[in-house]
Amino acid sequence: MHIPLDRQQDIPLYLQIEEALRRAILSGTFAAGDKLPSTRSLAGKLSVSRLTVENAYAELTAKGLLQQRRGSGAYVHHLQPLPEPQQPLSLAPFPLDRFTTVTSRLDGYPDIPLPEHIINFAAGVGSSKVFPLEEFRKILLSILSRHAEEAFSYGDYCGYYPLRDTLGRILTAQGIPTRAEQVLITNGSQHAISLIFQTLLQPGDTVIVEEPTYAEALGLLRMHQINIVSVASDRHGMCVELLPALIKQHRPKMIYTIPNFNNPTGRCMSEARRRRLLALAQQAGIVILEDDFVGDLRYNGKSLPSLRALAAPGSVIYVSTFSKMLLPSMRIGYLVADSEHYLRLSRLKHVDSFTSSNLIQRALDAFVTVGRYDKQLRRAGRVYRLHRDAMVAALQRHLPTGCRFEVPEGGLFIWLQLPDAVTTTALMPAAWQQGVTFARGECFHADEARGAQGLRLNFAANTPELIEEGIARLSRAILKVQSN
Amino acid sequence: MHIPLDRQQDIPLYLQIEEALRRAILSGTFAAGDKLPSTRSLAGKLSVSRLTVENAYAELTAKGLLQQRRGSGAYVHHLQPLPEPQQPLSLAPFPLDRFTTVTSRLDGYPDIPLPEHIINFAAGVGSSKVFPLEEFRKILLSILSRHAEEAFSYGDYCGYYPLRDTLGRILTAQGIPTRAEQVLITNGSQHAISLIFQTLLQPGDTVIVEEPTYAEALGLLRMHQINIVSVASDRHGMCVELLPALIKQHRPKMIYTIPNFNNPTGRCMSEARRRRLLALAQQAGIVILEDDFVGDLRYNGKSLPSLRALAAPGSVIYVSTFSKMLLPSMRIGYLVADSEHYLRLSRLKHVDSFTSSNLIQRALDAFVTVGRYDKQLRRAGRVYRLHRDAMVAALQRHLPTGCRFEVPEGGLFIWLQLPDAVTTTALMPAAWQQGVTFARGECFHADEARGAQGLRLNFAANTPELIEEGIARLSRAILKVQSN
């Protein structure tokens, strides 16, 4: 048994040993009833005193993970497992199978990662190889060394003021005039969307979304019992000309849109449609929620003015995040809103979850302030552009006839339409067998059946080599389904 | 101008200078139009090369904070301030004045901390001097050194599995049999309460709460348009014998209670009442939300079985947090629920805010696993007990006749009832003038007027010396109000 010990560390050796053994027991490396080495032999192997090992065993015994039998030794002892819950699961089970990302199961059991050999086009984020992990780690270390006390204080419900100020400046430079007082920091942009839905909508209200659209926004709307009305989109984004009839018929409270590099289609709404959408919404008194999750991740083409930049005050709430560009796990997003909306949203943020992590907010502000965000944006843009081009080339090379896709000018995703006879339901197991997976079109449609022939393919997260191989596999799977 | 430079750091010197100057400009140390020192002179003062300072100035110029005039020097330049929002604030303003903690204003403007000379009995958390800041910092550093990549990954929506396992073991040891699969990690316990209200309640539903109770739970219920029915409490907690009539009349969906060291009263519900409450709720099919925010912070007396430990599966959802015991800013809380509730709550957590910070969860798990939580609990208990005793002694020594209070056996707060003629509305400015503040009773009552003579006093957060002085000041303020 090898236990790495760090003698420089602040944590006593016996606790390091205890931790290692505990994890080995919990992970199943040791089974119940297994005998651990004697304290003398383990102490010898690890070059520590016998007392150190005895202390570690005592801790484990106190936690109920070890049984020490006098004269016989120490045996792994699992706490009696609790009985399984007796209540039947009367709710409809969550459609886990629609999500092939499976970063997490939703029934509370631990993660089961994808098998190694599966090429994953289903992810919702960029490449972990591009994330500025090392730089962010260093900034965290520096804050923990210099400002730990402030970083551990509660802070402002609305968010760390310098970060809000920084965000205001960045957005202003991007053409969205923003003061810090209009920026509300949230626990990720999903949380921002959740707060906005909770604040502005009631069960039974109607929201218009473009089709297809972000799966988790649909999930949230369903959870809050909001009527979802979908409006078609084409390569220039939401078909705004269809809106007047829908507005008249459904009297929506809100229009939710992803105008830049839509999730899942990668499409951008044209400027003319943006202006028309704003005019229509303003006339009807409808709030627009602009989800700009990767708006600044553009690889070619001309950037378009954001809805918020074009709008009258109070008519557009803007949501964005650093998760896609920097580190998904930071869980810091933000929204930009005007006085009345802002006041209501900050009140709800306060009673919903108080503050967001001051430590991470400070690290983010330091990261952005010292000019690293721009650098990171350029770096990610260069890499992801290559990935996009590799996927486009692979799709053109391998796809059977009858498949359709558009080339996005930015973002993370390519949206693929299958030939008439092929559905994702048939394709998914065939693709899995070939060693590739994707996000199913169904989850991006309010009326799921309408997504039965769409796939969202993440090009950003994989290398060109894996993309080439993955698309070849996917194409073989499509052919197999077609030939059945 | 002094700029502290850290030459060991990974951040280049020019960016350290840029950051310092930027903050000086944003904080108003430099005003618009001020001339900065020449690059030559600043470089000399800081013992860096002139190029370093030039780079710093260039960054500031690029950000619009500096104007460099050829041959004349660098001048502070503020971005044109944006016009104030034009929309009137048509919503009723949030009653800021009810909250004297003012850790944050809610209108989006930056924090204004309490003046130094004010002794603050209004806080909702323990003493920053007791928080294990240094130990937690070291654990974070160790995780960032050894497991940064995992700590920066998305992780499990339900929470980091080892942490959930650890929590399950701790709770099981405390008499609440819990499996990891029943633990859902949230962004603080307030967030857990928010998810529970969102999942189980609809606008127009009724919730029974004990009076007085946690202000932010009332705020959240109001925000979701839930009818709040208050039931009186005495020194043995909620007056459960009043429940049958209220249940019959109001048909509540949920009973929200803080059975241990209630916020604000510090009272514990007797065991007999706990059992009676459970029987009544089960009979009527009402879910109980047990908020156990400081249940393990007991200084004397016998600990009481938790509602969840006594209850049938599915009838009690349990919420707790580490924020009060460790660091308020960690923003990690948790709930324990059974199968059907758990499934719905984890679904909502997923679409509400995805995951919680993996880094902080891992640090927390390491902290707890190595036995430090117990040590910290004992340490905090020792210190806070002294603080409680100091406040009790000071209250007995200084309070004018007619004031009433009970001695809590744990927690953070003493609840003080003012003499008949004195209200918090009159007392608050008088207390402020004497240099002391408190949390007003109004915020802990659904019918605010009923709290007009209650004060919540936090004994944990202040030293015995400050407590003695603060209670003397408070007593003088009460006398002044009485003599007017």
Side-chain angles (χ1 to χ4, degrees):
Chain A
M1 179 166 32
H2 174 66
I3 298 178
L5 295 178
D6 182 348
R7 282 154 211 274
Q8 309 307 317
Q9 239 191 303
D10 173 56
I11 299 174
L13 291 176
Y14 83 95
L15 288 176
Q16 293 188 42
I17 297 169
E18 190 271 343
E19 190 188 346
L21 289 173
R22 180 175 165 278
R23 285 180 198 277
I25 293 169
L26 290 178
S27 66
T29 308
F30 293 118
D34 281 0
K35 188 175 174 183
L36 286 196
S38 72
T39 52
R40 185 195 304 268
S41 109
L42 186 57
K45 267 192 199 143
L46 301 176
S47 310
V48 299
S49 81
R50 201 171 154 186
L51 184 65
T52 300
V53 177
E54 282 172 3
N55 282 336
Y57 282 16
E59 282 277 328
L60 290 166
T61 306
K63 288 189 175 128
L65 289 166
L66 220 58
Q67 234 176 357
Q68 301 204 56
R69 302 186 196 147
R70 195 180 296 250
S72 159
Y75 293 83
V76 172
H77 174 73
H78 272 291
L79 282 176
Q80 209 56 24
L82 290 168
E84 282 296 308
Q86 287 145 22
Q87 284 204 322
L89 289 178
S90 66
L91 288 174
F94 193 76
L96 271 178
D97 61 320
R98 289 190 305 165
F99 292 86
T100 58
T101 47
V102 201
T103 57
S104 170
R105 289 178 59 176
L106 288 166
D107 50 7
Y109 285 83
D111 284 355
I112 299 165
L114 285 181
E116 279 265 337
H117 71 281
I118 301 280
I119 296 175
N120 182 13
F121 292 141
V125 297
S127 165
S128 62
K129 296 201 179 65
V130 175
F131 296 144
L133 198 139
E134 186 51 26
E135 286 122 305
F136 201 72
R137 193 178 73 86
K138 282 189 175 153
I139 284 181
L140 273 173
L141 291 174
S142 146
I143 288 176
L144 285 169
S145 317
R146 296 189 301 164
H147 302 293
E149 190 150 1
E150 301 94 305
F152 285 145
S153 72
Y154 244 132
D156 188 331
Y157 295 120
C158 298
Y160 179 54
Y161 194 83
L163 175 61
R164 290 158 60 205
D165 181 81
T166 300
L167 287 168
R169 281 164 198 281
I170 290 176
L171 291 170
T172 302
Q174 292 177 358
I176 310 173
T178 307
R179 293 173 299 117
E181 288 74 17
Q182 296 171 304
V183 178
L184 182 69
I185 304 289
T186 59
N187 301 319
S189 69
Q190 183 72 21
H191 187 228
I193 297 172
S194 175
L195 292 175
I196 292 164
F197 286 172
Q198 286 180 65
T199 299
L200 299 180
L201 302 175
Q202 301 267 2
D205 281 349
T206 295
V207 168
I208 291 185
V209 304
E210 62 223 352
E211 181 185 65
T213 193
Y214 178 44
E216 316 295 5
L218 293 176
L220 201 44
L221 288 169
R222 285 193 195 105
M223 197 79 76
H224 289 296
Q225 298 167 49
I226 308 298
N227 302 321
I228 305 170
V229 171
S230 299
V231 52
S233 64
D234 60 24
R235 57 189 309 142
H236 301 296
M238 182 192 287
C239 296
V240 172
E241 55 281 11
L242 303 175
L243 278 180
L246 291 173
I247 291 173
K248 203 169 162 192
Q249 188 186 343
H250 298 284
R251 306 241 158 254
K253 282 266 180 69
M254 184 186 285
I255 298 175
Y256 168 78
T257 181
I258 309 168
N260 292 320
F261 317 122
N262 170 283
N263 180 357
T265 64
R267 290 164 176 164
C268 291
M269 194 188 292
S270 69
E271 184 167 342
R273 283 189 171 170
R274 289 176 194 232
R275 291 185 185 276
R276 179 115 172 81
L277 170 62
L278 287 166
L280 286 168
Q282 193 159 13
Q283 201 178 3
I286 301 166
V287 175
I288 293 177
L289 171 50
E290 177 176 25
D291 181 349
D292 198 26
F293 77 116
V294 281
D296 47 9
L297 204 52
R298 175 175 280 280
Y299 316 132
N300 60 275
K302 182 173 138 286
S303 78
L304 293 156
S306 91
L307 291 169
R308 187 163 163 93
L310 298 171
S315 53
V316 174
I317 302 179
Y318 178 91
V319 162
S320 193
T321 177
F322 286 107
S323 296
K324 304 291 173 178
M325 277 304 302
L326 302 182
L327 295 160
S329 67
M330 287 194 311
R331 311 314 305 136
I332 299 292
Y334 60 94
L335 63 83
V336 182
D338 300 301
S339 45
E340 180 174 328
H341 288 150
Y342 190 91
L343 194 65
R344 292 177 63 182
L345 286 162
S346 54
R347 280 172 65 181
L348 180 61
K349 165 86 193 293
H350 174 192
V351 288
D352 175 75
S353 48
F354 288 158
T355 58
S356 303
S357 164
N358 224 335
L359 173 65
I360 306 291
Q361 288 187 78
R362 279 173 182 262
L364 198 48
D365 185 52
F367 186 91
V368 172
T369 302
V370 297
R372 286 190 182 164
Y373 181 71
D374 283 340
K375 210 176 115 198
Q376 173 62 17
L377 188 60
R378 286 194 297 274
R379 178 161 165 249
R382 274 196 309 274
V383 175
Y384 294 162
R385 184 193 174 126
L386 291 177
H387 293 189
R388 179 201 61 178
D389 294 345
M391 188 172 275
V392 169
L395 288 168
Q396 286 167 340
R397 190 156 41 239
H398 297 292
L399 273 187
T401 50
C403 293
R404 284 167 299 137
F405 70 93
E406 296 154 19
V407 180
E409 295 189 334
L412 308 170
F413 308 120
I414 287 179
W415 179 243
L416 180 66
Q417 291 281 339
L418 295 170
D420 283 347
V422 186
T423 64
T424 61
T425 308
L427 182 58
M428 182 146 278
W432 189 265
Q433 216 163 23
Q434 294 290 331
V436 62
T437 192
F438 54 82
R440 294 177 65 167
E442 282 90 337
C443 23
F444 308 102
H445 290 73
D447 175 1
E448 296 182 6
R450 294 173 54 81
Q453 293 179 296
L455 317 188
R456 189 190 71 180
L457 301 174
N458 180 320
F459 57 78
N462 289 295
T463 61
E465 295 70 31
L466 280 173
I467 288 171
E468 169 67 21
E469 173 60 24
I471 295 299
R473 292 180 187 179
L474 181 68
S475 303
R476 280 200 297 276
I478 296 172
L479 285 171
K480 286 221 163 179
V481 172
Q482 279 183 312
S483 68
N484 278 349
Chain B
M1 182 166 33
H2 174 68
I3 298 179
L5 295 178
D6 181 348
R7 282 155 212 273
Q8 309 307 319
Q9 242 193 296
D10 172 60
I11 300 173
L13 290 175
Y14 82 96
L15 287 176
Q16 293 187 42
I17 297 169
E18 188 271 344
E19 191 188 345
L21 289 172
R22 178 175 166 278
R23 288 183 196 276
I25 293 169
L26 290 178
S27 65
T29 308
F30 293 117
D34 280 1
K35 188 175 175 184
L36 287 194
S38 72
T39 52
R40 185 195 302 270
S41 109
L42 186 56
K45 267 194 200 140
L46 301 176
S47 309
V48 298
S49 80
R50 199 169 155 186
L51 183 67
T52 300
V53 177
E54 282 171 4
N55 282 337
Y57 281 18
E59 282 278 329
L60 290 166
T61 306
K63 289 191 175 127
L65 289 166
L66 219 58
Q67 234 176 357
Q68 301 204 57
R69 303 188 196 148
R70 196 179 294 251
S72 161
Y75 293 83
V76 173
H77 175 72
H78 273 290
L79 285 175
Q80 208 59 23
L82 291 167
E84 282 297 308
Q86 286 146 24
Q87 284 206 321
L89 289 180
S90 65
L91 288 175
F94 194 76
L96 271 179
D97 60 320
R98 289 189 305 164
F99 292 86
T100 59
T101 46
V102 201
T103 56
S104 169
R105 290 177 57 175
L106 289 166
D107 50 5
Y109 286 83
D111 284 352
I112 298 165
L114 285 182
E116 281 265 337
H117 72 281
I118 300 280
I119 295 175
N120 182 13
F121 292 139
V125 296
S127 164
S128 62
K129 295 199 179 68
V130 174
F131 297 144
L133 199 140
E134 187 50 26
E135 285 122 306
F136 201 72
R137 192 178 74 86
K138 282 190 176 151
I139 284 182
L140 274 173
L141 291 174
S142 147
I143 289 176
L144 286 168
S145 317
R146 297 189 299 165
H147 303 293
E149 191 150 359
E150 301 95 304
F152 285 144
S153 73
Y154 245 133
D156 187 331
Y157 295 121
C158 298
Y160 179 53
Y161 193 81
L163 175 61
R164 289 159 59 206
D165 181 80
T166 301
L167 286 168
R169 281 164 199 283
I170 290 176
L171 290 171
T172 302
Q174 292 178 359
I176 310 173
T178 307
R179 293 175 298 118
E181 289 72 17
Q182 296 171 302
V183 178
L184 182 69
I185 303 288
T186 59
N187 300 319
S189 68
Q190 182 73 21
H191 187 228
I193 298 173
S194 175
L195 294 174
I196 293 164
F197 286 172
Q198 286 179 66
T199 300
L200 298 181
L201 302 176
Q202 301 266 3
D205 282 348
T206 295
V207 169
I208 290 186
V209 303
E210 63 222 352
E211 181 185 64
T213 192
Y214 178 43
E216 316 295 5
L218 293 176
L220 202 44
L221 289 169
R222 285 195 195 102
M223 198 79 76
H224 289 296
Q225 298 166 48
I226 308 299
N227 301 322
I228 304 169
V229 172
S230 299
V231 51
S233 64
D234 59 24
R235 55 190 309 140
H236 301 295
M238 181 191 289
C239 297
V240 172
E241 57 280 11
L242 302 175
L243 279 180
L246 292 173
I247 290 174
K248 201 169 165 194
Q249 188 185 345
H250 297 286
R251 306 239 159 254
K253 282 266 181 69
M254 184 186 286
I255 298 175
Y256 168 77
T257 180
I258 310 168
N260 293 320
F261 317 122
N262 169 283
N263 180 356
T265 64
R267 290 164 176 163
C268 290
M269 194 188 295
S270 68
E271 184 168 341
R273 282 188 173 170
R274 289 177 194 230
R275 292 186 184 275
R276 179 111 174 85
L277 169 62
L278 287 166
L280 286 169
Q282 194 160 10
Q283 199 179 4
I286 301 166
V287 175
I288 293 177
L289 171 48
E290 178 177 25
D291 182 349
D292 198 27
F293 77 117
V294 282
D296 48 8
L297 204 52
R298 174 174 282 279
Y299 315 133
N300 59 276
K302 181 173 139 284
S303 78
L304 293 157
S306 91
L307 291 169
R308 188 165 163 91
L310 298 172
S315 54
V316 173
I317 302 179
Y318 179 92
V319 163
S320 192
T321 177
F322 286 107
S323 295
K324 304 290 172 177
M325 276 303 304
L326 303 181
L327 295 159
S329 68
M330 288 194 313
R331 311 313 305 136
I332 299 291
Y334 60 93
L335 63 83
V336 183
D338 300 301
S339 45
E340 179 172 331
H341 288 149
Y342 191 90
L343 195 66
R344 292 178 63 185
L345 286 162
S346 54
R347 280 173 64 182
L348 180 62
K349 165 85 193 292
H350 175 191
V351 289
D352 174 75
S353 47
F354 289 159
T355 58
S356 303
S357 165
N358 225 334
L359 173 65
I360 306 289
Q361 288 186 79
R362 280 173 180 262
L364 199 47
D365 184 51
F367 186 91
V368 172
T369 302
V370 298
R372 287 192 181 161
Y373 181 69
D374 283 339
K375 208 176 117 199
Q376 173 62 17
L377 187 60
R378 285 195 297 275
R379 179 162 165 249
R382 273 196 308 275
V383 175
Y384 294 163
R385 183 193 174 125
L386 291 177
H387 292 189
R388 179 200 60 176
D389 294 345
M391 187 173 276
V392 169
L395 287 168
Q396 285 168 339
R397 192 157 38 240
H398 297 292
L399 273 188
T401 51
C403 294
R404 283 167 299 137
F405 69 94
E406 296 153 20
V407 180
E409 295 189 334
L412 307 170
F413 308 119
I414 288 180
W415 179 243
L416 180 64
Q417 292 280 339
L418 295 169
D420 283 348
V422 186
T423 64
T424 61
T425 308
L427 181 58
M428 181 146 278
W432 190 265
Q433 218 163 21
Q434 295 290 332
V436 63
T437 193
F438 53 83
R440 294 176 66 166
E442 282 90 336
C443 20
F444 308 103
H445 290 72
D447 175 0
E448 296 182 5
R450 293 174 53 82
Q453 292 180 296
L455 317 188
R456 188 189 73 181
L457 301 174
N458 180 320
F459 57 79
N462 289 294
T463 60
E465 295 69 33
L466 280 174
I467 288 172
E468 168 68 20
E469 174 59 24
I471 296 298
R473 292 180 187 178
L474 182 68
S475 303
R476 280 201 297 277
I478 296 172
L479 285 171
K480 285 223 167 179
V481 172
Q482 278 182 312
S483 68
N484 278 347

